[in-house]
Amino acid sequence: MGGPSGGESLPPRKAEIEKLVIGPLMVLGEMTTGGHYMEMVKIIKQATNKSYATIVSDLWKQEGVLGFYKGFLPWGMLQMVKGIPVLFIQAESNHRFKGMGLDNKTSETLAGFVGGVGQGVFLTPTQRLKTIVMTDPKYGGANAPKTVGQAMGSASKVIVDVVKNDGIGSLFKGLGPMMGKRGFDWGLRFYGISASTTWFKGNDPTYKLTTFEKMLTGVFGGAVSTLTMPFDSWVSNCQKANKAGDKKGAIDVAREMYRTGGSGAFVRGWLMRLCHASYHTIWMTTLGQYFFELWRKTAA
C-alpha cells in the first residue's frame, strides 16, 4: 500500500482538528478505567524493584480504595494534555509524508515518531510531579490527600518543594529521554498497527477490518512499543523522588542504574508496561478513530 509516487501532492483535505479534543478525552477514559493504576504500579516497580504483589499490597494497606487513583489528582488528570499532540500531529504529519511519496507503513511510523516527540514535551512536567507523588513516602500513606481540596493543596506543596529544592528547571528532568522514548514508542505503535492491518487485509486492500480486528491491531501496536522499555525505565528513575539538591543528570542516572541493577534495571516493569501499552493504544487509536469518524459523520 504505497503513497503517491514522486512526491505527487495528495488531494486537499480538512485538517483533523477534532483530534485535539478527542485525544485528551481518550486519555481520560483510559486512565480512569484502569490505565492510571497500571502505570502507577509500573512506575513503582521501575523505581523500587519491589514485586508486583508487594506493590499492590502496600498500596492497599496504605491508601485503601484511594490507592487506585494515587497521584491522579491533579497530576494524572492533567496528563490529559498528552492526548493533545499525538493523534493530531500524527494525522497531519502522515498526510504530508504520504504527499512526499512515502509508502503507508513508513509514513505512519515516521508520523507516529513526530507525534510522540511532541507528546514528550507536553508530558514531562506532569509526569515528573506524578512520579514524585508515587515514589516519595511523605506524599502517601497517612499524608495522602483524602479530598479534592486536599489533593489540590498537596499539589501546590509538591510544586513548591520541587522548585525550592531543585529549581524550576527540574520540572523538565528527564526531558531528553522522555522525548526519545515517546517518539520511538509511538513510531513503533503505528508501525505495529500498520503492519497488523496489512496482515488482516491480506490480498484484499479494500477489506474493512471488524471492530475486534481493529482492537487486535491496537494490542499488537502496544506490544511492539514495549521495545522502548529501557527508555521507559530510564525516565522513571530520572524523575523519581530523590534527596533535596540531588542534581544527577540523565547519563549519571543511567550509570547508577547499571551499577546497582545491571542491564535488568532497564527492563523492570515490562509485564505491566505490556498490559498498559496495549490498553492505552486501543483507547487512543481504535476508539479515538471511531469517535473521530462519528464526529465527522454527525457534523456532515
Side-chain angles (χ1 to χ4, degrees):
M1 299 192 302
S5 61
E8 179 184 334
S9 60
L10 292 173
R13 64 188 267 284
K14 180 182 177 182
E16 299 180 1
I17 57 175
E18 296 92 341
K19 290 185 176 180
L20 291 171
V21 176
I22 292 172
L25 292 178
M26 293 301 98
V27 173
L28 180 62
E30 177 262 319
M31 288 193 299
T32 55
T33 56
H36 176 76
Y37 186 76
M38 285 188 278
E39 184 180 27
M40 175 171 54
V41 171
K42 181 206 69 178
I43 288 174
I44 295 174
K45 172 70 174 178
Q46 291 171 331
T48 66
N49 201 28
K50 294 179 180 178
S51 69
Y52 287 118
T54 299
I55 293 170
V56 171
S57 177
D58 287 349
L59 282 171
W60 180 257
K61 290 176 182 177
Q62 296 169 10
E63 318 286 350
V65 176
L66 292 175
F68 196 73
Y69 292 103
K70 181 179 179 182
F72 182 70
L73 288 173
W75 313 120
M77 189 169 182
L78 285 176
Q79 285 192 318
M80 285 172 62
V81 299
K82 72 182 181 182
I84 293 175
V86 67
L87 294 184
F88 176 73
I89 292 177
Q90 194 277 338
E92 298 310 302
S93 298
N94 187 34
H95 177 69
R96 283 159 177 73
F97 285 142
K98 286 180 178 177
M100 294 166 59
L102 299 181
D103 66 86
N104 192 60
K105 190 181 297 181
T106 302
S107 175
E108 291 193 357
T109 301
L110 289 176
F113 179 85
V114 174
V117 169
Q119 186 186 68
V121 177
F122 274 71
L123 185 60
T124 298
T126 52
Q127 181 75 7
R128 159 76 167 150
L129 293 166
K130 186 173 76 169
T131 300
I132 289 174
V133 171
M134 290 177 179
T135 58
D136 194 332
K138 74 179 180 180
Y139 298 117
N143 298 317
K146 302 297 189 294
T147 66
V148 173
Q150 290 177 355
M152 297 308 293
S154 175
S156 299
K157 186 177 187 306
V158 174
I159 295 175
V160 170
D161 288 349
V162 171
V163 173
K164 180 180 179 181
N165 294 329
D166 302 313
I168 194 168
S170 68
L171 293 175
F172 284 89
K173 195 173 184 180
L175 176 62
M178 177 69 83
M179 291 174 64
K181 182 261 179 185
R182 287 288 165 175
F184 284 110
D185 179 82
W186 279 103
L188 287 168
R189 286 184 203 231
F190 279 101
Y191 172 84
I193 291 169
S194 180
S196 55
T197 298
T198 300
W199 185 83
F200 277 120
K201 286 179 177 290
N203 296 321
D204 183 5
T206 64
Y207 175 72
K208 299 294 184 182
L209 273 65
T210 66
T211 299
F212 181 67
E213 287 170 339
K214 290 178 180 178
M215 291 178 68
L216 287 180
T217 66
V219 170
F220 184 71
V224 172
S225 77
T226 63
L227 290 173
T228 64
M229 192 68 209
F231 273 112
D232 197 53
S233 190
W234 187 17
V235 169
S236 292
N237 279 273
C238 283
Q239 296 189 324
K240 72 180 181 181
N242 294 311
K243 295 179 181 179
D246 185 348
K247 299 184 182 296
K248 284 192 183 80
I251 300 300
D252 293 326
V253 171
R255 288 172 177 163
E256 180 69 13
M257 287 172 64
Y258 187 77
R259 186 184 68 80
T260 58
S263 58
F266 291 89
V267 292
R268 288 176 188 163
W270 178 82
L271 178 60
M272 193 56 62
R273 169 71 197 287
L274 175 64
C275 295
H276 184 223
S278 296
Y279 186 59
H280 181 76
T281 307
I282 290 173
W283 269 91
M284 292 298 288
T285 59
T286 307
L287 292 177
Q289 187 63 26
Y290 168 79
F291 284 112
F292 168 72
E293 292 173 359
L294 181 63
W295 189 329
R296 282 280 171 98
K297 183 178 180 181
T298 303

